[in-house]
Every structure is written in structure tokens, then in C-alpha cells.
Amino acid sequence: MIVTVTPNPAWDVTYHLERMIRHGANRPASVEGRAGGKGVNVARVLRSLGVAVTAVAPLGGATGERIRADLAAADIALTAVPVEGETRCTTTIVETDSGGATSLNELGPARTAREWALVVAATTELLPEASVLVLSGSLPPGVSASGYAELVTLARAARVPVLLDASGPALSAGVAAGPDVVKPNADELLAVTGEADPLRAVARLAGTARAGTAVVASFGPEGMLAGTDEGWWRATPPTSVRGNATGAGDAAVAALARGLAEGGPWPDRLRDAVALSAAAVAAPMAGDVDGELYRTWLPRVRVDVVEPPR
């Protein structure tokens, strides 16, 4: 069973319209809402692939109850941590004309030390059954930047592989604790390393981690770059896909988590991550994937060996 932790879950609302008019009236062609947050999206993708998964999330207020009901309807196992304060909402505006997406992400309510301790305790209880622990998304206000590092350390002690998808100080602190895989995107990688060159940026982030941590960086339509102890590879998609890119990284994390659990070769893991990421872009909402596109793309993703920088 893969366990995902979403410290800052949300009710995601997605608007689809042809073109957004700034400072004017907009009339979406469709509006959809569902339980979200990066780790929840990862769990949803894994569930669609037939992988056993449990999502851990702190939930509060009416929005929290809505998330509980939505995940139950989607048959996604949930370990909910009751907290004070209304769970946040996020809004994504997808423009069908340009294929672009704009996100409005609320910070969410501050969490107390006691509430965070409850999240840690709930996660710890699941570790004996976990094949992989996925830590994904932003940390809510009130939680130390070392929050993910704490969970990484507990998982390492339990001999459970960890995949970390975070940003900023939480990413830096988490990497230092030694997760098995860390997956920043291009902006997150640049922010924590200050290095514009992708190869050097991956090498610099890997240099701050314990031995054995693989850095897999995603670069949108340009694919993914992986620096691991087993080798370095670049995975390139056959073409670009228009649609809602907000869940693409979460789909890639789902693929990498499955690969980490199964222990397959890194080229196969990267091929799977790029194809599943593209399939997420083609789907209307974060957490969904276009199964036909995924199956079509999987054998077409190119994976090349690259030399690490010196």
C-alpha cells in the first residue's frame, strides 16, 4: 500500500472557459469541484491505476466534510485528521483557447503544534503497512519548514521508501533528511539551487541530500531529468499536449511512487512518469488521466542516458 500525506488539502474548483477576460465578466462553460491538494491528487491517480493507496489529510469544517464525502465516493481510502479551522479552497481557470491554466491557491488555516503532531501520529501508524510514503504539496501556516524532514526521518527508521514533492524551505529541509526520491519542477529547482542549468541544478540539489537520494526534475513539455546513483537519464515526450497542466506533476509523482514500490529500472519509471503526466494534462481536472493517451504515449517516450556535470 502506498501512503500519501497532504498536509494542506483543499477543495479544488476548476473553471473551463474559452478565454479569461481580466477586469471583466467571465462566464465559464463548465464548473467542477472535487477533493484536492497534491497528495490527494496523487492518491486519486494511483487508485485509477489499481494501486492500493491511503491518503492522510487534516480536515476541518464543512469543506473538510465535503472532501471526506468526495473521497469516499471515489473509493479512496482516507485517514482524516480532525482539526480546527476550515479546510482551504483552490481555484483553477483553464482557458481552452490557449491551453493555459491560472491557479488561485489559498494559504489555508494555520495549524497548531498539536494538530501537526496528530498528522505525524496518523502517518506513523500507517508505516508498518506502507510500501512507499509520498509527501506532497505545501505545508500549512504554523507548521515548521522541517515538517517533511520529520516524516522522512520516521519513514527511514521504519525502512519505508519516501518520495518528496515540495518547494522552498520545506524542500531543502526535507532533502537533507534523505528521501529516496525528490521531484521538484523547474521553478522549484531553480529557487532552491539558484542554478539555471538543469544538469547542474539537479547535481547541486542531490549534493545536499544523503547518499542514495534520486533527484527527478520535471520540465513540463520538455520532459524529465533524473540524477540517481544508478545513472542519469533524460525522458522526452514525443510532442506537447494542450489542456489543464495543474495535475501533471501529481500524476508524475504517482508514476514514480509506483515505480519506487515495484523497484523497476529507472528508464521505465521515467517513461511511465512522462506518459502519465501528459495524460493528466489531457484530462479536464487535476487527479484525472486520459487512459487512451497514456497507453498511446508510453512506448513513444524517449529515454536517453546523459552524462552528469563535472
Side-chain angles (χ1 to χ4, degrees):
M1 174 184 70
I2 295 176
V3 175
T4 73
V5 179
T6 310
N8 207 9
W11 182 256
D12 284 346
V13 179
T14 302
Y15 294 93
H16 287 87
L17 45 78
E18 184 176 349
R19 187 184 304 107
M20 185 171 70
I21 302 171
R22 294 191 62 192
H23 311 299
N26 290 274
R27 294 176 174 81
S30 66
V31 181
E32 299 173 275
R34 64 161 37 159
K38 294 180 73 63
V40 169
N41 292 339
V42 173
R44 194 182 294 274
V45 173
L46 287 170
R47 184 70 184 86
S48 73
L49 296 173
V51 177
V53 61
T54 294
V56 178
L59 299 175
T63 304
E65 290 303 316
R66 182 184 294 182
I67 289 173
R68 285 175 185 260
D70 184 69
L71 292 178
D75 196 26
I76 296 172
L78 170 67
T79 296
V81 179
V83 293
E84 298 294 329
E86 191 80 17
T87 299
R88 68 183 180 138
C89 294
T90 61
T91 301
T92 300
I93 302 169
V94 180
E95 298 180 70
T96 56
D97 189 31
S98 65
T102 301
S103 296
L104 303 173
N105 298 329
E106 297 176 10
L107 289 177
R111 296 294 172 215
T112 65
R114 177 182 174 277
E115 288 174 334
W116 178 247
L118 291 174
V119 173
V120 173
T123 304
T124 303
E125 287 184 9
L126 291 169
L127 288 179
E129 306 171 48
S131 57
V132 171
L133 177 65
V134 176
L135 308 174
S136 192
S138 63
L139 293 173
V143 176
S144 167
S146 63
Y148 277 143
E150 179 181 5
L151 292 171
V152 171
T153 300
L154 290 170
R156 286 177 59 88
R159 300 184 181 276
V160 175
V162 184
L163 193 160
L164 173 65
D165 180 16
S167 61
L171 171 59
S172 298
V175 167
D180 294 80
V181 181
V182 57
K183 195 219 72 67
N185 62 30
D187 292 338
E188 293 162 349
L189 188 63
L190 176 61
V192 297
T193 66
E195 181 64 65
D197 177 76
L199 284 170
R200 295 191 181 280
V202 167
R204 179 166 294 186
L205 185 58
T208 67
R210 295 187 182 187
T213 294
V215 177
V216 183
S218 56
F219 296 92
E222 297 177 15
M224 305 183 80
L225 175 65
T228 82
D229 282 356
E230 299 174 32
W232 284 55
W233 294 272
R234 188 189 306 275
T236 309
T239 186
S240 60
V241 177
R242 289 167 58 92
N244 181 8
T246 55
D250 303 330
V253 168
L256 293 172
R258 180 172 64 170
L260 184 58
E262 296 176 351
W266 269 106
D268 290 349
R269 300 189 205 183
L270 295 174
R271 186 174 290 110
D272 193 38
V274 169
L276 200 59
S277 178
V281 175
M285 295 188 69
D288 286 342
V289 292
D290 184 318
E292 183 176 351
L293 187 145
Y294 169 58
R295 290 185 292 272
T296 300
W297 268 44
L298 189 57
R300 299 176 58 201
V301 175
R302 176 175 174 176
V303 181
D304 297 307
V305 175
V306 297
E307 289 294 322
R310 297 180 179 180

